[in-house]
Amino acid sequence: MTHPFDAAIQLEAGGQGLAGRTVPEYANMVGPFGGASAAALLRAVELHPERAGSPVALTVNFAAPIADGEFHIDTNLVRANRTNQHWTVSLHQGDGVMATATAVFGTRRDTWSDIEAQMPDVPAPESVERTPGPEGIRFLQNYDLRFVAGPPPVDGVARPSSTTTLWVRHDPVRDLDFSALAALSDIFYPRIFLRRGEPVPAGTISMTVYFHVEDAEVVGLGDDYVLATAAGQQFARGYFDQTAQLWSRDGALLVTSSQIVYYKYSFGG
């Protein structure tokens, strides 16, 4: 039986480019879950016969809401050398472009390495109570969410910090891959919800994902939990940013990401 996430990113040759279809399991409040759309754009490059190496960076710009139903993805290899490939990708519905993306794929080599980021000190996922996904947000029903800090606010009380940290994995379980990591980079509800203590109309305009692992390391993750942490840095004039990290259970930094998000909120609410 096909996993719902695999159905959401399934692509087949169809006319020009690749054809895909949204699935109800990964629906969001408006259109599909943006992380699933980003994953489909990344998968389109992974399937290209000229692709070499593994993902290094993915930037997705959401130009318009994606409607339920069929979509098409076009890929173009802009430039390549012995180490890196630069791709442009676009997602179309009808005559309109719904999303554009750039992707960098690279061949990783052994070099001097170090890390300055520090994994949050948190309890193991098995010791954290699972939080049911909010009703009405369908895609979150496909994840096992275990919040360590910053769960979705339900009391209407504003917070001084926008930081959320949680353990997360697929439900039903599914082995991790680069597409899954791209989607998990967008697993967080909007940071302004936590700051204001209530839902606020908001939507991601652009997101970038940086991958810090190679194929063998991703395979080694299996279907285990990933620690996801995110925070906003500035909320002003209708936009806020978000930075995030994904960590493996044993402390490997898998992904860093950033977003810019549009929101509507005035002092009057």
Side-chain angles (χ1 to χ4, degrees):
M1 183 176 179
T2 302
H3 191 282
F5 183 75
D6 291 306
I9 64 173
Q10 182 175 342
L11 301 172
E12 298 177 352
Q16 295 183 344
L18 297 171
R21 174 174 289 275
T22 63
V23 297
E25 291 85 354
Y26 278 83
N28 201 350
M29 291 181 288
V30 178
F33 167 43
S37 300
L41 290 160
L42 183 68
R43 177 56 55 89
V45 179
E46 289 183 312
L47 293 174
H48 197 284
E50 295 184 59
R51 187 267 295 180
S54 58
V56 175
L58 173 71
T59 295
V60 180
N61 299 311
F62 297 96
I66 298 171
D68 292 335
E70 188 171 296
F71 56 81
H72 290 81
I73 295 179
D74 294 328
T75 56
N76 178 43
L77 177 57
V78 178
R79 193 173 183 89
N81 55 38
R82 289 186 299 174
T83 301
N84 297 315
Q85 290 184 330
H86 298 265
W87 296 83
T88 59
V89 195
S90 57
L91 187 152
H92 305 255
Q93 285 186 317
D95 295 329
V97 176
M98 303 294 108
T100 64
T102 59
V104 178
F105 277 62
T107 301
R108 298 179 186 270
R109 298 179 173 85
D110 290 334
T111 63
W112 176 86
S113 301
D114 195 15
I115 182 171
E116 295 189 15
Q118 293 186 349
M119 182 179 179
D121 184 11
V122 297
E126 292 80 7
S127 64
V128 180
E129 184 177 356
R130 180 172 180 174
T131 300
E135 292 187 16
I137 305 181
R138 184 74 181 274
F139 82 89
L140 285 176
Q141 311 306 319
N142 294 284
Y143 290 103
D144 179 346
L145 309 169
R146 299 174 183 248
F147 286 88
V148 178
V154 294
D155 53 10
V157 176
R159 270 77 169 175
S161 170
S162 63
T163 299
T164 285
T165 301
L166 73 154
W167 289 105
V168 56
R169 71 172 175 178
H170 286 282
D171 182 15
V173 294
R174 176 190 183 275
D175 284 350
L176 290 163
D177 54 21
F178 287 105
S179 293
L181 292 176
L184 286 171
S185 298
D186 194 37
I187 195 66
F188 310 94
Y189 63 88
R191 302 294 81 215
I192 194 169
F193 287 18
L194 193 56
R195 286 301 311 272
R196 301 310 308 158
E198 60 183 351
V200 173
T204 299
I205 300 297
S206 180
M207 64 178 288
T208 296
V209 182
Y210 299 111
F211 301 92
H212 301 293
V213 285
E214 59 185 357
D215 300 76
E217 294 171 292
V218 176
V219 171
L221 297 172
D223 61 8
D224 199 8
Y225 290 92
V226 166
L227 185 70
T229 186
Q233 298 181 105
Q234 167 93 357
F235 302 79
R237 295 171 289 280
Y239 295 91
F240 71 85
D241 69 330
Q242 170 189 291
T243 60
Q245 300 171 341
L246 301 182
W247 298 84
S248 70
R249 184 194 291 259
D250 61 1
L253 182 59
L254 309 174
V255 162
T256 53
S257 70
S258 60
Q259 293 191 15
I260 192 74
V261 183
Y262 169 76
Y263 69 91
K264 293 182 179 180
Y265 190 90
S266 64
F267 289 109

